[in-house]
Amino acid sequence: MPDITIKAKDGGSFSGYLALPKSGKGPGVVVIQEIFGVNEVMRRISDDIAAQGYVALCPDLFWRQEPGIQITDKTEAEWQKAFQLYQGFDRDKGIEDIKATIETLRAHPACTGKVGAVGFCLGGLLAYLTATRTDADCSVGYYGVGIEGLLDEAKNIKKPLMLHIAEKDKFVPPEAQKQVKDRLGGNPLVTIHSYPDVDHAFARVGGTTYVEAVAKEANARTAAFFKKHLG
């Protein structure tokens, strides 16, 4: 599918990869990138979500630093580039760009109205913040990094949120995982799934920590969650 243009709230514009369902219409899902940009992995995820009947839109959230980033997790140089982009990323501006993406998706002729979000890694954190700072109809975060530092925002959750936690996540230590579970576990709007013996990015197809069986389990839960809240 071709990229579309999204207008930023503070001026300028950025691109997003759009994937349409076979029917041509459906609820929307914002797909929130990892630290590697809107690369082949994110486009494949968007295509898979579209195949489930949704209008998937993956915005380029690194556009303020370097538009069009598409790197992989295969070389040390690419990892260094990814971490450089991550460290220079303005989280608050990123959420504003996600808000703009939600509005663009809701206004798109293929979208039937409701819009959810799903994010991975950096996008997992942003999916949590999508639940606390936007009017998305539901949100899903995979192995979000840094959620424990933003738990004061949990009081703002108004729509369903699902989090997938990797218990051996090298970027989210057990203490941080416990804080998230303790603070959010009692919230009726929040569903937490915790997976033992898997590392960060267990659902990234082709990645060194990919675990197919666990990825399928998590993805099936996400699909059921979207069907319930967006269908």
Side-chain angles (χ1 to χ4, degrees):
M1 294 291 178
D3 287 0
I4 66 169
T5 299
I6 303 163
K7 291 184 179 179
K9 291 181 175 294
D10 59 351
S13 62
F14 55 101
S15 67
Y17 176 74
L18 181 71
L20 298 175
K22 284 186 177 180
S23 66
K25 283 185 175 292
V29 173
V30 177
V31 181
I32 311 174
Q33 66 175 67
E34 298 180 289
I35 60 175
F36 306 104
V38 184
N39 61 3
E40 182 181 352
V41 170
M42 301 312 302
R43 291 171 184 263
R44 186 186 302 130
I45 289 170
S46 301
D47 291 342
D48 289 345
I49 290 172
Q52 296 172 38
Y54 301 99
V55 180
L57 180 55
C58 185
D60 177 11
L61 298 181
F62 283 161
W63 72 279
R64 296 173 185 274
Q65 300 177 77
E66 188 174 335
I69 285 291
Q70 293 188 52
I71 56 180
T72 76
D73 60 351
K74 304 304 182 188
T75 69
E76 180 61 29
E78 287 175 299
W79 273 101
Q80 290 180 5
K81 177 69 172 180
F83 280 123
Q84 177 188 355
L85 289 162
Y86 172 68
Q87 289 164 2
F89 179 69
D90 186 322
R91 187 175 61 212
D92 296 333
K93 290 288 188 184
I95 288 295
E96 289 300 310
D97 291 339
I98 289 171
K99 287 181 181 178
T101 303
I102 291 170
E103 291 177 8
T104 297
L105 200 43
R106 283 206 174 108
H108 194 281
C111 182
T112 56
K114 288 187 176 180
V115 172
V118 59
F120 305 80
C121 178
L122 166 62
L125 168 65
L126 295 174
Y128 166 74
L129 292 177
T130 296
T132 67
R133 299 188 191 181
T134 81
D135 63 353
D137 292 287
C138 64
S139 303
V140 180
Y142 284 71
Y143 30 83
V145 180
I147 293 174
E148 72 279 0
L150 293 159
L151 289 171
D152 286 347
E153 296 196 28
K155 62 183 180 296
N156 299 322
I157 296 172
K158 302 292 193 301
K159 299 288 180 66
L161 168 67
M162 177 179 283
L163 296 176
H164 298 290
I165 294 176
E167 292 185 12
K168 297 294 178 67
D169 196 323
K170 60 180 172 288
F171 299 116
V172 186
E175 181 182 338
Q177 295 178 33
K178 185 177 186 303
Q179 290 175 36
V180 171
K181 292 172 183 176
D182 288 349
R183 183 66 177 270
L184 299 179
N187 188 324
L189 290 172
V190 181
T191 303
I192 297 176
H193 296 293
S194 190
Y195 304 89
D197 302 320
V198 294
D199 198 351
H200 188 80
F202 67 79
R204 184 193 301 141
V205 175
T208 57
T209 57
Y210 176 64
V211 181
E212 183 178 11
V214 180
K216 284 185 175 180
E217 180 181 19
N219 291 341
R221 286 168 165 168
T222 296
F225 183 80
F226 280 155
K227 187 174 182 179
K228 178 179 180 179
H229 299 295
L230 298 178

